[in-house]
Amino acid sequence: MSALYTLGERVVIRDCEWIVRRADPSDDGGYVLTVEGLSELVSGKSARFLIKLEE
């Protein structure tokens, strides 16, 4: 796990709140976050985000 992202941390990506389940290094030097949705729009959904693309 990265020091930048911790298990259970709440993050806001694309205007929705997510909880971090995994943070793995990616080939582009960033991280792949595996998250579960907390906001109403994404509640119950899981997703993966490439952090370098989201910056």
Side-chain angles (χ1 to χ4, degrees), residues 12 29 34 44:
V12 176
T34 303

Side-chain angles (χ1 to χ4, degrees), residues 24-46:
D24 299 306
S26 63
D27 292 337
D28 63 4
Y31 292 90
V32 177
L33 291 187
T34 303
V35 296
E36 287 184 28
L38 294 175
S39 297
E40 184 178 346
L41 182 63
V42 294
S43 181
K45 306 282 185 194
S46 59

